[in-house]
Amino acid sequence: MPANAVMHDPLQAAAAWHVRLSAGDSPADREAWQAWHDEAPEHRAAWQRVERLKDLLAQAPTGCTQVLQRTGRHGRPARRALIGGLGALALAAVSYPWLPWLGAAPVDWVATGAGEQRELALPDGTQVLLAALSRVGIQDGRRARTLQLTQGSLQVQTAPGGHDKPLSVQTRDGSVRPLGTRFTVTLAAQHTLVAVREHAVEVLPNGAALPVRVSAGQRALFTAAGVEPPTAIDGSEDAWARGMLLALDQPLAGFLQALQQQSGVTLSCDPAVTGLRVSGSFLARDPQRSLATLAAQHGLKLVQRGAGWHLAAR
């Protein structure tokens, strides 16, 4: 890349390098690109994004590609148009990850109901566990594989060894890229929570330029605006994957709602005891046993109501 063409925007620079290398790179070009790529973390992050968006440009609606073709028919205008197009697509994808045409690659949607978990195996051997009342779209592109989590939680255990293509988990707040790891991602009302059990992940909010590393034993909350400093995991983040429900000073009403979601069994309590604070580990797959233990601890009475259970004050 000529010195007078240096770009300070990493996304624009990555797009320019893509065009140059695609036009027929020389050893000197490849060496210069490698130097730019290795120069800064933001360069590497931008390159990964434009690599993914290169495929998406080919899948964009016909009108979009026609505009680029008409704008740049000869020489440098064509080059500038393609660079600008890739850069615009990169910025649009950062800000609007759910643009309709991004779904041009087939997306297989998987959803679970109350009391249901689903185990999914990706082609490279990665294992995905989907929590109850969750929804994920699996998008298998030519260069990247994406899990679009739109509801609930999932756990990912990446396969050992090399992978055929990069994997990321996308939520409305941003993306999580595993670095050979086991981790969970939960989409909450106001944020996304990632918790790492093995190795590490990189979290890249939609509005950020650089990813944040979250290592084994850590959890982090993030929104589209940024990532909160990682803290130590407490076990509640992935208890559901072990068939457990961990309550930490939780109101009884909220505890019953979570237990009902994981077990699929209708649960209720008297209005007078909804604010009772609950702490401990409970078997989500055996709500009767869990509630019997809770009733004994707090002097409540467990009553069967149809196919469900009710906690009543004595």
Side-chain angles (χ1 to χ4, degrees):
M1 182 179 296
N4 60 3
V6 171
M7 297 183 182
H8 297 290
D9 185 331
L11 283 172
Q12 291 287 335
W17 274 116
H18 249 298
V19 173
R20 185 179 184 88
L21 297 180
S22 298
D25 61 312
S26 65
D29 284 341
R30 179 61 59 172
E31 184 177 347
W33 165 82
Q34 191 68 57
W36 170 86
H37 178 272
D38 296 342
E39 185 179 30
E42 55 265 33
H43 293 180
R44 294 189 289 274
W47 182 256
Q48 288 177 351
R49 290 192 175 194
V50 176
E51 274 274 81
R52 295 195 297 267
L53 289 163
K54 183 180 177 181
D55 280 345
L56 295 176
L57 181 61
Q59 298 166 6
T62 304
C64 294
T65 55
Q66 287 176 345
V67 168
L68 289 179
Q69 292 165 358
R70 290 197 302 269
T71 303
R73 294 178 181 175
H74 307 288
R76 291 183 179 178
R79 174 185 171 86
R80 286 197 300 268
L82 186 51
I83 292 173
L86 280 169
L89 286 173
L91 293 174
V94 170
S95 302
Y96 306 103
W98 305 109
L99 282 174
W101 62 266
L102 289 186
V107 180
D108 295 325
W109 290 99
V110 180
T112 55
E116 178 188 12
Q117 292 185 1
R118 291 282 299 275
E119 294 182 356
L120 310 170
L122 302 186
D124 67 351
T126 293
Q127 300 295 314
V128 180
L129 180 62
L130 194 60
L133 291 179
S134 299
R135 184 172 183 264
V136 66
I138 304 172
Q139 189 173 33
D140 199 355
R142 285 178 292 176
R143 293 178 177 269
R145 186 173 291 120
T146 303
L147 302 177
Q148 300 177 9
L149 182 66
T150 61
Q151 179 181 327
S153 304
L154 58 74
Q155 182 183 76
V156 176
Q157 174 73 67
T158 57
H163 303 108
D164 58 346
K165 60 186 74 174
L167 171 69
S168 65
V169 178
Q170 303 277 350
T171 75
R172 61 151 192 273
D173 297 313
S175 65
V176 178
R177 185 171 73 90
L179 304 176
T181 182
R182 176 164 61 95
F183 65 102
T184 57
V185 179
T186 298
L187 182 61
Q190 304 296 329
H191 61 259
T192 299
L193 168 66
V194 59
V196 183
R197 284 289 182 180
E198 298 175 5
H199 302 289
V201 303
E202 286 185 341
V203 177
L204 185 62
N206 291 331
L210 296 176
V212 173
R213 184 184 179 97
V214 183
S215 300
Q218 293 183 324
R219 54 177 273 169
L221 301 178
F222 69 97
T223 66
V227 185
E228 293 185 4
T231 59
I233 58 177
D234 59 25
S236 63
E237 305 87 358
D238 58 358
W240 61 268
R242 305 188 301 274
M244 303 295 294
L245 177 60
L246 182 61
L248 301 172
D249 196 33
Q250 186 176 16
L252 178 58
F255 169 78
L256 292 178
Q257 182 180 15
L259 184 57
Q260 178 173 298
Q261 174 179 321
Q262 289 197 37
S263 67
V265 176
T266 301
L267 306 174
S268 60
C269 66
D270 286 351
V273 297
T274 56
L276 184 71
R277 312 305 290 190
V278 177
S279 296
S281 297
F282 301 87
L283 290 171
R285 296 190 181 97
D286 192 349
Q288 179 184 1
R289 178 178 173 184
S290 295
L291 293 185
T293 300
L294 187 63
Q297 291 175 346
H298 295 277
L300 304 176
K301 181 169 58 175
L302 182 61
V303 180
Q304 186 168 9
R305 288 190 174 177
W309 297 92
H310 180 85
L311 284 172
R314 290 188 180 276

